[in-house]
Amino acid sequence: MIMTKIIPLIIAFTFTGIASGQAPQAKPGEGTIVLANNWSTPLQGGSASAKDLATLLSPFFQPKPTFTGSKAQVIFESVTYLMPLEDAKKALNLTKSAPKNAVAAGGFPRDSFFHYAFDGTFEGHYNKLYLVTDRADQVVCVQLVAETPERSWVDAPYNETGWHTYNFISSRSKALSRLWVDHKASFLVGKYWQTYQAKHANTAPKSTPELLRVDSCVIDPIKRNGFRDVEWRALEASRWYIPRPLGELLLQCSSR
């Protein structure tokens, strides 16, 4: 059954001439992501989300149609890149079933990614965990979400930002102009997370990170004179773990 999905995908790579014009060849220890035949077709709409995604990822990755990656790359706890969904559930002790939903945000491969949402307590205060998979149900990334976060959990901006989308996996963008969205990207330096700040060159990674963590939030600033008020409210917070091969592929899609 899997082969019937992979064969048309390989044909699509060959004829579109993306990358070297050859189908991706997995090496020992590597796996191949499985996408829809029309993965590179832009989604109708979603241009603001695609722009946000490209802006978010461009300081860390180059746009590449990266189809293979190391299956030893840890994404979250003991979950690794392209791990089968059922193995990832066992690794995280997720015993309940979850509905399969399409990921359809602008900047993502078309008709190619799906998410499964699980309830629980993760990293202290997130109440949902999303396993995001390709068409073969291989895990490509993990996202944690706090649907009703405490203010103390959220590193909210003091001034209005230009971000539009606050949850790419669930395709959520701000519906009201008064809401503020913020993203903070971090990468590992040894065992510690370094937060990137565009205004400070010394916070940029010295090489392409193998794993990116994006902390996002949407708040109601209840603002006065362009600044957040002391009574601001946190509406949602999330933490998204993005392995390098996926980051390169998403940047390829969001930059077209």
Side-chain angles (χ1 to χ4, degrees):
M1 184 66 181
I2 293 177
M3 288 303 295
T4 60
K5 294 180 180 179
I6 294 176
I7 290 173
L9 179 61
I10 291 174
I11 292 172
F13 291 149
T14 302
F15 283 97
T16 55
I18 296 173
S20 63
Q22 301 295 321
Q25 300 296 316
K27 299 177 181 178
E30 290 186 331
T32 304
I33 196 169
V34 180
L35 307 177
N37 290 346
N38 62 335
W39 71 272
S40 62
T41 306
L43 294 170
Q44 297 299 316
S47 59
S49 292
K51 182 179 178 181
D52 277 0
L53 193 60
T55 302
L56 182 62
L57 299 179
S58 59
F60 310 98
F61 305 116
Q62 293 296 317
K64 296 179 184 178
T66 304
F67 308 121
T68 59
S70 172
K71 297 180 74 172
Q73 172 63 57
V74 174
I75 303 175
F76 174 74
E77 294 189 3
S78 55
V79 175
T80 57
Y81 186 60
L82 299 183
M83 175 181 279
L85 173 65
E86 292 304 317
D87 291 350
K89 289 174 59 178
K90 291 178 182 177
L92 296 174
N93 196 29
L94 302 171
T95 57
K96 295 183 179 180
S97 60
K100 183 176 185 177
N101 295 288
V103 176
F108 278 68
R110 188 166 187 160
D111 300 333
S112 296
F113 289 166
F114 305 87
H115 68 70
Y116 299 81
F118 299 89
D119 295 323
T121 302
F122 308 97
E123 293 195 355
H125 58 262
Y126 297 99
N127 68 291
K128 282 191 177 293
L129 181 146
Y130 289 78
L131 293 176
V132 183
T133 66
D134 66 0
R135 291 187 67 86
D137 264 349
Q138 301 177 110
V139 176
V140 297
C141 65
V142 173
Q143 180 180 250
L144 310 178
V145 173
E147 295 177 304
T148 55
E150 297 288 340
R151 283 186 13 164
S152 59
W153 300 347
V154 176
D155 186 7
Y158 285 90
N159 303 91
E160 189 168 4
T161 68
W163 297 108
H164 178 263
T165 300
Y166 61 90
N167 185 326
F168 296 97
I169 301 305
S170 298
S171 304
R172 293 177 185 162
S173 299
K174 64 179 185 179
L176 301 173
S177 59
R178 76 166 186 269
L179 301 182
W180 293 1
V181 173
D182 196 32
H183 300 290
K184 291 182 174 62
S186 303
F187 53 93
L188 283 171
V189 178
K191 297 181 179 180
Y192 301 98
W193 290 99
Q194 168 70 56
T195 299
Y196 171 74
Q197 300 179 54
K199 295 181 180 179
H200 302 285
N202 62 339
T203 66
K206 299 185 184 305
S207 59
T208 302
E210 290 300 317
L211 185 66
L212 192 68
R213 189 187 78 186
V214 176
D215 292 308
S216 306
C217 66
V218 56
I219 70 168
D220 186 343
I222 313 177
K223 62 182 181 179
R224 294 180 183 147
N225 300 322
F227 299 91
R228 86 179 184 203
D229 193 278
V230 294
E231 300 298 325
W232 65 272
R233 292 185 294 131
L235 305 181
E236 181 179 295
S238 65
R239 174 165 286 180
W240 183 18
Y241 291 95
I242 310 169
R244 177 190 54 76
L246 177 64
E248 293 172 345
L249 179 61
L250 291 179
L251 193 53
Q252 170 77 17
C253 293
S254 60
S255 301
R256 59 182 173 231

